Amino acid sequence: TFCEIAVPLASRLAEIFGLPGNPSSAVDAARDKHATRIAVANAGLPSVQSRMLPSPETLVRLPSNHDNRIVRKKFVANMTEEHLNLDKLLEIGGQIGYPLVMKPVSGAASIGVLKVESAEKLSTAYLKVLRDVFRAKVNAGALVMGSDDEDDDVDSVANGNGGGGRSEADAAQDWPTIMLEEYLDGEEVDVDVILSEGKSVYNATSDNWPCEEPWFNETGDNAPCLLGLEIERALETVGVDCCHALGLTTGVFHVELKATSRGPRLIEVNTRMGGGPVRDINLRVNGVDLVEEHIFASVGIPCNPPFRIAVDGSEASSRRAEDRDPLDCVAGYTLNAPKTGTVTEGAEAVIMKWAEVSYVLSAEVFVHPGDKVTSKADGLPTWMGEIRVHGDTAADAKDRAEKMRDTLLAEILPFIR
């Protein structure tokens, strides 16, 4: 499967029927960010300082009927600092130090992930994260942000659980489990990994542009990576080693890391192909179809991608610059709403006119007239659209996308009221 919430089920079915796949224990550990940290540290790999927050029963003064999901959702939407045990929250925050990152142990799409600059902002951040996690829902297999006043016919995913149509008896699911971890400096990257018969046969790194902090919404990317081969190889080595540390053996994985001032550090391992443009990036830059390779791995056929770059522990290959010549160089800009409001007629045309530019590969619109959008000042920013370009070099492609970004941000503003 390529669907985040279906990976645990697929791994269990593979175990029951004796089919190729990853151990369910490895998948569960990867989808639990705290368990991932433990596995990485136990393997002796560079780790990140983190702490689990206690259950809401310890941190929150709960209503007596909080077992009912609808009651909980309404309660969380109206929580204030008066409902919190601030001393305990601040104690754990102080153990990490500031700035730090607050996030649910399970989730996707950066929902509920928030940078906290100081102790004074910790309680407000906790309330925001709780609200966002309770508003999250599964729509067509993807995790998306809902609203406080939406009906509860679609299951919330407060603990990584998905799917609608649950009975009232099942509605009393657990509160979300939230963790704190140190904020990582440096540049963020994605490393796409193919494991075949337990060994890495392909790794490819792309740069992620700085996120819309304090949220961690994506803003853009470019491939190949521009950090240099030495740093790139170090990131790929740690990424593959983290997959091994979790016990993963088979298929395509999307590993997020940062090249920090202390070296590579893991953000998370996604036990599936990356979403959005990830397949197209690898196909266009390296000629490798991640969908095909994952299907091969899932039916027991050894993967042998046409562009074979493998970094795997003691078997790490020595890579020369000429071995890295890409088929193409690409970049993409994701338009985050520059202000909060309602989309008006004309916004789509502002984005789609870029499709006529010679170096533009694609232009997509994610919102329509009448849709409400949120800027980073008011919450997790809304993605309004995405434009992908190519160039003679990765730097050229990135420069084109950045210039396009500056123009788009100015031109889209009049169409948000």
Side-chain angles (χ1 to χ4, degrees), residues 115-130:
K115 181 182 179 182
V116 184
E117 293 284 1
S118 64
E120 291 73 22
K121 296 182 178 181
L122 188 62
S123 58
T124 302
Y126 183 71
L127 294 174
K128 286 182 179 178
V129 169
L130 274 183

Side-chain angles (χ1 to χ4, degrees), residues 121-185:
K121 296 182 178 181
L122 188 62
S123 58
T124 302
Y126 183 71
L127 294 174
K128 286 182 179 178
V129 169
L130 274 183
R131 289 189 189 113
D132 281 357
V133 173
F134 269 94
R135 289 166 56 199
K137 64 179 184 178
V138 176
N139 183 19
L143 188 60
V144 298
M145 184 67 77
S147 62
D148 291 327
D149 55 358
E150 280 186 298
D151 293 334
D152 278 329
D153 58 342
V154 180
D155 186 25
S156 78
V157 285
N159 239 348
N161 303 316
R166 298 204 308 169
S167 68
E168 181 67 24
D170 290 332
Q173 69 176 50
D174 293 336
W175 285 73
T177 304
I178 296 173
M179 63 187 289
L180 306 179
E181 61 183 31
E182 65 177 295
Y183 175 79
L184 298 173
D185 66 356

